[in-house]
Structure formats: structure tokens, C-alpha cells
């Protein structure tokens, strides 16, 4: 289990993370979201033991992450952190041996993962000769080569095409099935929504959304109704609980404050001609994110 | 420990047996073979390969001290292997200088008169032999003559305090060492510069590519810091050993050339061992100064590389360190030539200069063995102090990508490093 308890991280007078707490259980995928500079990378560094927090602590199975247990952890940082002048094989041998692995084991696993990612021919090529996507794959392999129990992934999908993203997702799922804990950040909220159970959304170092995704959506309350009918847009706008109406080519997207206003809108739509669609949808994570982060920024 | 060992091995592999290493060593090897054999090569390929007839010199001792073997002294001084021409020096039976002009077999006449401590010297040279190098050699002897005599007399007669100048080298030996020191200390200087550069570039490569985060997530910053220094010292040993092998090969080649062309082998090493009786002590001192000095500069280079965020940053920040290195080297070479003995003594106690100045000062007799050992001790203590102070700063700086001005940046890192230490 990974427990982040009341972590505060200050750089001089600047507070990068305020009183952050969350828990990740074995077999759980946890999403850490936020805009650039929100404190995600700092949180990852605290988890990895690279930065001692100003207050609070991060515990991995009730111990601080240190050099005694770091070999059980895989860490992939946001930028491509590779030594570009050496070959793929040399780099993985370097990083793998720093994780306490033996040379034959590294080479065996490297061959497996290169085959999995369909790039076995790049084993003896220099990193700088690889495309950005393939460099991303190598960096991902370097994070998982030690078969970690805790996988910390900072923007693992950035720069990947949908096919390769799917390959990454399958690997992450496989580690989840083996009982590993996975914490990752991403700007691609559809990925977070598709396989995270728990999330924290950071804004200026503070957790502005936190908890189980289903609960977060429920707590957000705001809903979207997709309507295909001959409605009058002004009438829709003036109905109680409606705060925004967008007209698309075929449908109207009506945003309402809460579930209690659905019936009133439905009653109006019933009076209109050519009704072909009345679909109520929970707000997407992306909408919640924009709404919360935007709101947070307006308050500042 | 295994990770430390692996980091050192990886660091060494990155530098040794790479193309750049092989090419550099090929060039260095050839250069050293040539440098070591310069005297022999000049001897073989020089324009005056055939030995000319010696110049005939007559010396008249008209001084108050008729017992002194003046012609013998001049003969010893002037007929050494580093003076291109040879001279046959004799005492005289001339009545006066007219005999010299009449004697077709004699080229030069030297008449010494007055007190031998400060003699008046008349030098007669026949017009057909007034080549500049000949005149220069004779004049050099005349200039040095009084100095030699003064030193010799002092050796014989203790001064009023009962002390003597045993530690001092004879002027011609010192002149020789001063001349040769730049050649011998150049590889040492180059090695330190290479090792310093390699270490800095290695660290900044890992830092600027952000690979450092993956590395520091696996090994402590202190282990990384020490492994980089150890790998660079290892590189220095490998490269230094190769330089010694090139030197020995050069000496062997010199002997071989001497035997095949029937000329006298002129080895710098042989000459040095003759001129410096304490050469084994000097060798040990030079190696220790070099080793400890290298660690000092490597520590500073590691600090600079950890503070920089990009290669450009590093190149800019390390310029003062390179300037200090160059200053130390030039102080070591030029101050002895200028006779600035007091300045050499002071510089040999300053840790940033002492790696070069320390052994040179000892070699030229400016400082005693005790003086050199104290200087080495100060250098060692400085290295320990620097490592103790720099290690926590390195730990903070290596993972930081702050882009503020250098001194502001280092100030913040120092504050952070030591505020942490106290908590």
C-alpha cells in the first residue's frame, strides 16, 4: 500500500503541494491530474523519496521510500530522460543494474519487451537514432523492466499514437492484474476515466477534486442533456436549472445544475415537434476538470 | 556497493576504448615518442651531424690565486653534452697575448687577472671564429663563473650562522630543470584537464537529459558523486599509465636509435636522474600531488556540473575553473624561471595551485621536503573539506533545474543543503 499523508512541499516561500493525502492499494490504478505546474511532478518526487517533504510523509508498505526498497519501484518521468548517445541495450543494462538486476535477467526481459512493443531491431541502435515514440517505449521499458510493485508514471502516454497508447494501456492493466500499484499523471483525461478508480486533481498544489471517479461525477451534480427536436433555444435557456445551451448541427447540448431539473426540461421538450433524442449524460471528467480548475483560477 | 562499482565501471567504459580515446592516444603516443627523443632526433637529422673539430682555448690564470685549476673548471663547465660545440681547454705557456695571435692552432684566449672572486677577464677571439653561438657559450660561462665560484666557496666555508645551502641546486641544474619542467608537467596538466572535463560533461549529460532522475531514484546522490570522481580517477590512472608506457617506449626507441646510428643516447629521464639526486622522492611527491590535486579539481567540476542545467551553462560556469588550472600550470613553469622563489613558496601552499607548483618547487630546490609534505597535507585537508561541503550541495543541485544567476543559484543550494543537514 502507498500512503501519502498530509504532504506539504515548499520551495522557499513557494508552496508546491499543500496538505495532500491519498492512499493506493495493491491492484489499484490511481490518477494524479492537474494543469502544468499544479504539483504533480513534485508529488511523484516525494513518493520516490527524491524530495523530502516539508511536512507529512509518503509511506510504501509503512516504510519511507528509500534505497532499501526502491528496487521494487518503477519510475518514468515526464520528459524523455534517456542517455541518447548510448545504445538501447547499454541504457537498459545501466538502468537495470542500478535497480539491482543481473545482466542476463535484464537482457532476457529486454528481448521480451522489445518484441512486445514490436521494436526488436532497435536493441543495438543508439537512442538518438530512434523516433520520439520509440524513445518513449524505451523509457517505459526502463520503468517496468524490474517488474515493480509500485509503478509511478508521469505522463506515460504523451506523444504516443492511439495504437501504441493501447499497447501501453495493456501493459499497465497487466501490472494491475499482478497486484501492482500504479500511479500516473496524464493530460489525456479519457485514459484516466477509462482505467482509474481513484483520482486527485491538483491545482496550484491543492487537491480540488479527490476520490472515487464515480463518486466525483456524482458529487459534481451537473449533467448534460442531448436533445434532438424542434426546440426554441431562448425558451430552453430560460428554463429553471439550465445554465448553458450549445447548438450543434443536429442536436442541442443543454447543461443543467442538477438531476432535479431534468423533469422540467423533459416536460418542455414533450411539447415540441420532431423529438428523436432526449439523452441525459453525467459530466465527463474533462468537463469536471475544466469546471473545477477554471473555478479555482477565478477564485485566485 | 555493487551499484557504486557498477556506476564506476559504466563511467570508465564510456571513456576508455572509445574512438575518441583511441585517436587521442595515438596522437599522444606519437607526440611523446618524439618529445622524449628530441635530442637524439636533432643529433641524427640536424644539419651538423658530423662532429666538428673542437675549438682550441687557452686560459691564462693571472689572478692572485695561482693554485686554482681555472682551466679545469672551465673545461668541466663548458664541455657538457648540452653545449653543441666542444672545446679543448688548456692552461698556457704564453708570455703575452701576441703569442696567441701568432699561434695558428689556438682559437680563443682567456686571461683572468685580479682577485679570483671578482676577476677581470679578457677574451680574445680570432676573427675567423667569431660565430655567434661560440661567443654566446663563452659569455654564458663568464656570466655564470662568478656565481659558481661564489657557491663553491660557500660550500667549503660555512657562513656565520653555521647553516649552508645544501637544499639548493646548482644554477645550471636549476636552469635545466626549469627548462624541462614544462615538457614533463604538460602531460600531468593535460590529464587533470581531461579528467575534469570528462567528469563535468558526464554529469551534465545525465542531468540535461533528465536521466539523472532515474539514476538518483536508484542510487543516492552521494554515491553518484563519489562514483563519478572514482571513475575519473580510474580514467586518469589508465591514461597516466599509457603515457608512462609511451615514455618508456620512447626511451627504448632512443637507445635503439643510438645503437644503430652510433651516436650517444640522449635521454631526458637519464639526465633528470643525474641532475636531481632525490628523483624517487620527487616522483612519489609528483604522483601524490597529481592524484590529490585531481580529486580537488574533480570535486569542483562535479559541483559546477550539478549546478548547471544545460551543456552551455556548464561550459560557461566551468571557465573560471579551467583558468585556475591554467594559472597553476603557468605559475609552476614561469615563477621558477623568473627567480621568484618567495612567490613559489606561497603558491605551493595554496591548494588550487599546489598540485602543479608543489612538485616543481621541490624539484627546483626552492622548497624542502618538509615544506612539500606540509603543502601536500594542506591539499589533502582541503580535498576532504571540499568533499564534505560539496557532497550535500551536489545532492540538492543535481535534481534542481533552477535557471537563476550562478551565485544566486549556488547560494540557494547551499542554504537548502545545510538547512536540511541540521533538521
Amino acid at each position: 500500500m502507498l500512503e501519502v499523508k498530509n504532504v506539504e512541499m515548499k520551495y522557499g516561500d513557494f508552496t508546491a503541494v499543500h496538505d495532500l493525502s491519498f492512499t493506493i492499494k495493491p491492484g489499484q490504478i490511481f490518477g494524479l491530474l492537474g494543469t502544468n505546474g499544479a504539483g504533480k511532478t513534485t508529488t511523484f518526487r516525494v513518493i520516490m523519496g527524491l524530495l523530502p517533504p516539508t511536512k507529512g510523509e509518503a509511506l510504501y508498505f509503512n516504510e519511507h521510500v528509500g534505497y532499501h526498497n526502491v528496487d521494487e519501484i518503477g519510475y518514468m518521468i515526464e520528459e524523455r530522460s534517456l542517455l541518447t548517445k548510448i545504445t538501447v541495450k547499454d541504457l537498459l543494462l545501466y538502468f537495470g543494474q542500478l535497480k539491482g538486476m543481473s545482466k542476463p535477467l535484464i537482457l532476457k526481459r529486454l528481448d521480451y519487451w522489445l518484441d512486445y512493443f514490436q521494436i526488436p531491431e532497435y536493441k543495438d541502435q543508439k537512442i538518438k537514432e530512434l523516433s520520439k515514440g520509440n524513445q518513449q517505449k524505451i523509457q517505459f521499458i526502463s520503468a517496468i523492466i524490474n517488474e515493480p510493485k509500485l509503478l509511478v508514471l508521469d505522463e506515460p502516454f504523451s506523444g504516443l499514437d492511439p495504437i501504441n497508447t493501447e499497447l501501453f494501456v495493456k501493459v499497465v492493466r497487466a501490472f494491475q492484474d499482478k497486484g501492482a500499484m500504479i500511479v500516473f499523471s496524464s493530460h489525456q483525461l479519457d485514459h484516466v476515466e477509462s482505467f482509474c478508480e481513484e483520482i486527485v486533481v491538483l491545482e496550484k498544489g491543492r487537491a480540488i477534486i479527490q476520490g472515487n471517479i464515480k463518486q466525483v461525477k456524482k458529487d459534481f451534480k451537473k449533467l448534460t442533456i442531448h436533445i434532438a427536436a424542434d426546440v426554441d433555444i431562448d425558451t430552453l435557456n430560460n428554463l429553471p436549472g439550465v445554465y448553458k445551451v450549445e447548438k450543434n448541427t443536429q442536436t442541442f447540448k443543454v447543461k443543467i445544475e442538477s438531476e432535479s431539473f431534468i423533469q422540467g426540461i423533459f416536460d418542455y421538450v414533450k411539447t415540441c415537434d420532431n423529438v428523436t433524442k432526449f439523452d441525459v449524460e453525467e459530466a465527463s471528467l474533462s468537463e469536471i476538470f475544466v469546471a473545477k480548475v477554471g473555478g479555482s483560477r477565478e477564485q485566485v | 556497493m555493487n551499484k557504486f562499482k557498477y556506476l564506476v565501471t559504466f563511467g570508465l567504459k564510456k571513456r576508455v576504448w572509445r574512438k575518441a580515446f583511441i585517436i587521442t592516444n595515438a596522437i599522444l603516443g606519437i607526440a611523446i615518442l618524439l618529445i622524449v627523443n628530441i635530442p637524439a632526433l636533432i643529433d641524427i637529422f640536424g644539419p651538423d651531424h658530423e662532429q666538428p673539430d673542437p675549438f682550441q682555448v687557452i686560459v691564462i690564470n693571472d689572478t692572485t690565486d695561482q693554485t686554482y685549476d681555472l682551466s679545469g673548471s672551465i673545461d668541466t663547465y663548458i664541455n657538457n653534452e648540452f653545449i653543441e660545440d666542444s672545446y679543448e681547454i688548456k692552461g698556457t705557456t704564453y708570455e703575452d697575448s701576441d703569442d696567441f695571435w701568432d699561434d695558428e692552432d689556438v682559437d680563443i684566449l682567456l686571461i683572468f687577472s685580479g682577485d679570483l672572486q671578482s676577476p677581470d677577464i679578457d677574451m680574445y677571439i680570432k676573427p675567423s671564429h667569431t660565430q655567434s653561438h661560440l661567443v654566446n657559450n663563452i659569455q654564458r660561462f663568464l656570466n655564470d663563473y662568478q656565481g659558481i665560484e661564489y657557491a663553491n666557496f660557500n660550500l667549503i666555508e660555512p657562513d656565520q650562522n653555521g647553516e649552508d645551502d645544501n637544499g639548493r641546486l646548482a644554477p645550471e641544474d636549476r636552469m635545466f630543470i626549469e627548462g624541462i619542467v614544462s615538457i614533463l608537467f604538460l602531460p600531468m596538466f593535460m590529464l587533470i584537464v581531461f579528467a575534469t572535463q570528462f567528469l563535468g560533461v558526464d554529469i551534465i549529460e545525465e542531468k540535461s537529459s533528465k536521466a539523472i532522475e532515474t539514476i538518483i531514484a536508484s542510487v543516492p546522490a552521494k554515491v553518484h558523486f563519489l562514483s563519478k570522481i572514482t571513475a575519473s580517477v580510474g580514467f586518469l590512472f589508465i591514461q597516466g599509465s599509457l603515457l608512462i608506457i609511451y615514455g618508456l617506449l620512447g626511451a627504448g626507441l632512443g637507445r635503439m636509435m643510438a645503437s644503430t646510428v652510433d651516436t650517444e643516447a640522449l635521454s631526458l629521464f637519464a639526465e633528470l636522474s643525474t641532475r636531481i639526486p632525490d628523483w624517487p622522492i620527487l616522483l612519489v611527491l609528483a604522483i601524490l600531488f597529481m592524484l590529490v590535486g585531481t580529486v580537488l579539481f574533480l570535486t569542483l567540476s562535479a559541483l559546477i556540473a550539478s549546478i548547471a542545467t544545460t551543456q552551455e551553462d556548464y561550459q560557461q560556469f566551468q571557465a573560471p575553473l579551467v583558468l585556475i588550472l591554467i594559472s597553476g600550470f603557468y605559475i609552476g613553469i614561469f615563477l621558477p624561471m623568473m627567480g621568484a622563489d618567495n612567490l613559489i613558496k606561497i603558491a605551493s601552499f595554496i591548494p588550487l595551485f599546489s598540485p602543479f607548483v608543489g612538485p616543481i618547487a621541490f624539484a627546483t630546490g626552492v622548497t624542502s621536503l618538509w615544506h612539500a609534505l606540509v603543502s601536500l597535507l594542506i591539499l589533502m585537508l582541503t580535498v576532504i573539506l571540499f568533499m564534505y561541503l560539496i557532497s550535500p550541495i551536489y545532492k540538492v543541485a543535481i535534481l534542481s533545474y533552477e535557471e537563476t544567476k550562478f551565485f544566486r543559484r549556488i547560494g540557494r543550494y547551499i542554504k537548502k543543503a545545510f538547512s536540511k543537514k541540521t533538521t
Side-chain angles (χ1 to χ4, degrees), chain B residues 151-395:
Chain B
N152 284 339
F153 281 126
N154 268 348
L155 280 171
I156 297 159
E157 297 171 5
D159 64 18
Q160 287 174 341
N161 296 324
E163 293 172 1
D164 62 40
D165 284 335
N166 266 338
R168 297 259 167 184
L169 288 170
E172 72 273 24
D173 286 341
R174 180 168 165 168
M175 198 190 299
F176 170 81
I177 291 163
E178 286 163 0
I180 214 73
V181 98
S182 58
I183 297 172
L184 292 178
F185 279 82
L186 185 64
M188 172 175 160
F189 169 72
M190 280 166 60
L191 277 178
I192 296 181
V193 172
F194 280 169
T196 309
Q197 287 282 320
F198 284 167
L199 174 114
V201 169
D202 204 14
I203 292 174
I204 197 64
E205 192 186 328
E206 289 180 350
K207 186 172 176 182
S208 63
S209 67
K210 304 270 173 96
I212 196 72
E213 260 188 66
T214 311
I215 296 163
I216 299 297
S218 305
V219 288
K222 198 191 262 182
V223 171
H224 185 256
F225 172 71
L226 291 174
S227 73
K228 291 291 169 194
I229 289 174
T230 311
S232 298
V233 172
F235 167 78
L236 194 89
F237 267 116
I238 293 170
Q239 186 62 75
S241 307
L242 285 171
L243 291 183
I244 290 169
I245 291 169
Y246 303 148
L248 292 174
L249 283 175
L253 188 71
R255 281 170 195 269
M256 214 167 73
M257 282 194 293
S259 61
T260 50
V261 297
D262 195 28
T263 183
E264 195 180 346
L266 299 175
S267 160
L268 291 181
F269 303 127
E271 184 60 27
L272 270 176
S273 63
T274 317
R275 303 262 180 174
I276 311 169
D278 289 338
W279 69 267
I281 297 171
L282 175 65
L283 186 69
V284 172
L285 269 180
I287 290 170
L288 285 175
F289 267 108
M290 182 181 176
L291 185 65
V292 185
T294 305
V295 176
L296 177 73
F297 283 106
L298 289 176
T299 309
L300 290 171
S301 182
L303 173 71
I304 290 168
S306 72
I307 290 168
T309 54
T310 60
Q311 294 276 3
E312 294 76 18
D313 245 11
Y314 172 69
Q315 291 305 329
Q316 200 183 336
F317 292 167
Q318 56 109 44
L321 185 68
V322 175
L323 281 178
I324 290 170
L325 264 165
I326 293 170
S327 306
F329 180 63
Y330 279 107
I331 286 171
I333 290 173
F334 288 117
L335 285 188
M337 285 182 185
M338 291 159 68
D341 289 4
N342 286 332
L343 274 177
I344 300 169
K345 276 183 188 169
I346 294 167
S348 72
F349 282 125
I350 300 172
L352 290 169
F353 300 141
S354 60
F356 302 107
V357 182
I360 294 173
F362 178 70
T364 49
V366 173
T367 57
S368 65
L369 178 62
W370 280 111
H371 189 126
L373 288 174
V374 170
S375 164
L376 184 63
L377 184 70
I378 291 172
L379 184 61
M380 282 173 167
L381 291 174
T382 309
V383 168
I384 294 166
L385 180 71
F386 273 32
M387 287 187 106
Y388 176 75
L389 293 175
I390 287 172
S391 173
I393 303 171
Y394 181 89
K395 186 182 169 185

Side-chain angles (χ1 to χ4, degrees), chain A residues 101-120:
Chain A
M101 295 172 69
S102 69
K103 210 171 163 182
L105 182 64
I106 297 166
L107 292 173
K108 188 182 159 192
R109 288 191 186 160
L110 174 63
D111 286 339
Y112 171 80
W113 287 116
L114 288 177
D115 282 339
Y116 175 84
F117 286 109
Q118 297 152 13
I119 49 169

Side-chain angles (χ1 to χ4, degrees), chain A:
Chain A
M1 188 186 291
L2 179 76
E3 292 170 281
V4 173
K5 289 181 175 175
N6 307 106
V7 164
E8 182 182 275
M9 188 67 218
K10 282 190 171 187
Y11 296 108
D13 297 331
F14 173 71
T15 307
V17 178
H18 295 262
D19 194 26
L20 181 66
S21 298
F22 58 86
T23 303
I24 309 172
K25 292 172 189 152
Q28 197 174 43
I29 302 178
F30 189 90
L32 194 60
L33 314 177
T35 51
N36 295 328
K40 300 187 299 286
T41 302
T42 301
T43 306
F44 284 148
R45 284 180 165 195
V46 170
I47 292 172
M48 290 304 299
L50 293 173
L51 285 178
T54 319
K55 281 184 191 166
E57 57 187 352
L59 298 175
Y60 168 78
F61 291 108
N62 298 318
E63 284 186 316
H64 286 112
V65 173
Y67 294 105
H68 63 290
N69 57 14
V70 79
D71 293 352
E72 295 175 3
I73 301 173
Y75 181 39
M76 177 179 176
I77 73 163
E78 188 178 0
E79 287 97 342
R80 286 184 187 89
S81 58
L82 304 168
L83 296 169
T84 56
K85 291 177 187 168
I86 58 177
T87 63
V88 170
K89 185 176 131 186
D90 286 344
L91 182 90
L92 268 298
L93 280 172
Y94 184 30
F95 286 174
Q97 290 189 74
L98 291 183
K99 290 275 177 204
M101 295 172 69
S102 69
K103 210 171 163 182
L105 182 64
I106 297 166
L107 292 173
K108 188 182 159 192
R109 288 191 186 160
L110 174 63
D111 286 339
Y112 171 80
W113 287 116
L114 288 177
D115 282 339
Y116 175 84
F117 286 109
Q118 297 152 13
I119 49 169
E121 67 274 24
Y122 296 139
K123 188 177 173 182
D124 292 312
Q125 276 204 15
K126 286 187 178 171
I127 304 285
K128 63 181 175 187
E129 292 163 3
L130 271 56
S131 69
K132 284 184 179 176
N134 286 331
Q135 286 185 12
Q136 183 84 339
K137 288 177 185 175
I138 298 303
Q139 193 168 353
F140 188 62
I141 294 172
S142 76
I144 59 172
I145 198 150
N146 57 328
E147 297 200 339
K149 290 180 184 167
L150 170 64
L151 189 52
V152 180
L153 306 170
D154 199 354
E155 293 292 343
F157 308 116
S158 80
L160 286 180
D161 59 52
I163 295 168
N164 283 312
T165 302
E166 197 50 40
L167 285 174
F168 273 46
V169 168
K170 278 185 184 170
V171 176
V172 173
R173 285 269 185 226
F175 272 94
Q176 183 189 22
D177 293 343
K178 283 186 205 168
M181 297 173 280
I182 296 122
V183 52
F184 81 100
S185 70
S186 179
H187 291 304
Q188 290 154 288
L189 298 180
D190 48 335
H191 291 129
V192 179
E193 205 165 351
S194 69
F195 64 67
C196 278
E197 291 155 33
E198 300 275 334
I199 57 162
V200 165
V201 178
L202 290 174
E203 175 62 8
K204 296 192 187 303
R206 292 180 194 278
I208 55 167
I209 304 172
Q210 183 161 9
N212 181 279
I213 285 194
K214 283 179 189 166
Q215 193 59 45
V216 166
K217 285 187 171 186
K218 204 173 172 186
D219 292 346
F220 187 64
K221 290 182 180 166
K222 293 178 181 173
L223 301 166
T224 302
I225 306 172
H226 297 274
I227 301 167
D230 295 341
V231 293
D232 176 49
I233 196 164
D234 290 335
T235 311
L236 267 179
N237 261 323
N238 289 324
L239 287 171
V242 174
Y243 68 91
K244 195 175 182 184
V245 178
E246 286 171 18
K247 191 183 177 191
N248 295 336
T249 47
Q250 305 272 321
T251 60
F252 290 91
K253 204 169 166 183
V254 182
K255 302 207 171 196
I256 60 169
E257 296 289 354
S258 71
E259 200 178 348
S260 60
F261 297 106
I262 297 172
Q263 189 59 48
I265 296 161
F266 185 69
D267 290 343
Y268 163 68
V269 174
K270 276 198 298 187
T271 64
C272 301
D273 296 330
N274 300 319
V275 180
T276 54
K277 187 176 184 181
F278 188 91
D279 183 20
V280 182
E281 188 183 84
E282 277 184 321
S284 68
L285 196 55
S286 177
E287 282 171 315
I288 298 172
F289 183 82
V290 170
K292 291 282 186 180
V293 170
S296 156
R297 284 190 173 171
E298 279 161 20
Q299 283 168 24
V300 173

